[in-house]
Amino acid sequence: MEKSSGAAAAAGGRSSTPPPPPPMYTDEFALEGKKPVKNPFVPIGALVTAGVLTAGLISFRYGNSKLGQKLMRARVVAQGATVALMIGSAYYYGDQIKLFKKGSSP
């Protein structure tokens, strides 16, 4: 014998699980054949940051703390420039994508 709850019996014997969500269409996110825009300076900045960091750690390991400290300061500058490029390119290209989505064609 199967026990049924009062809510299920009141609903006509159906279970009370919610229906599945509607399918998500990826067409809404497509840029209609446009290639994604990439800023080549961001990966270059990341590589420079990693290189300066590696050189600074190596100089600390060999006991040259003055050079290591200068390289760590240079790393902070390179990292800040990379983040600024990321934010700037996202702002610049973000406006172009918004204009493209509004329907204004060039």
Side-chain angles (χ1 to χ4, degrees), residues 18-102:
M24 186 172 177
Y25 297 105
T26 57
D27 294 341
E28 297 172 2
F29 302 110
L31 293 178
E32 298 176 16
K34 279 262 193 180
K35 278 177 64 173
V37 180
K38 293 183 181 180
N39 188 348
F41 296 115
V42 173
I44 291 170
L47 289 174
V48 168
T49 302
V52 172
L53 174 65
T54 303
L57 291 175
I58 290 171
S59 68
F60 277 132
R61 180 149 176 115
Y62 287 130
N64 193 352
S65 61
K66 282 189 177 185
L67 178 63
Q69 195 64 22
K70 286 182 183 180
L71 287 169
M72 287 299 132
R73 289 180 185 147
R75 177 198 54 89
V76 170
V77 170
Q79 193 170 356
T82 303
V83 170
L85 281 170
M86 288 171 47
I87 292 172
S89 64
Y91 178 76
Y92 178 74
Y93 292 122
D95 285 346
Q96 288 183 352
I97 291 172
K98 286 178 190 174
L99 290 174
F100 181 72
K101 283 186 178 180
K102 285 182 183 176

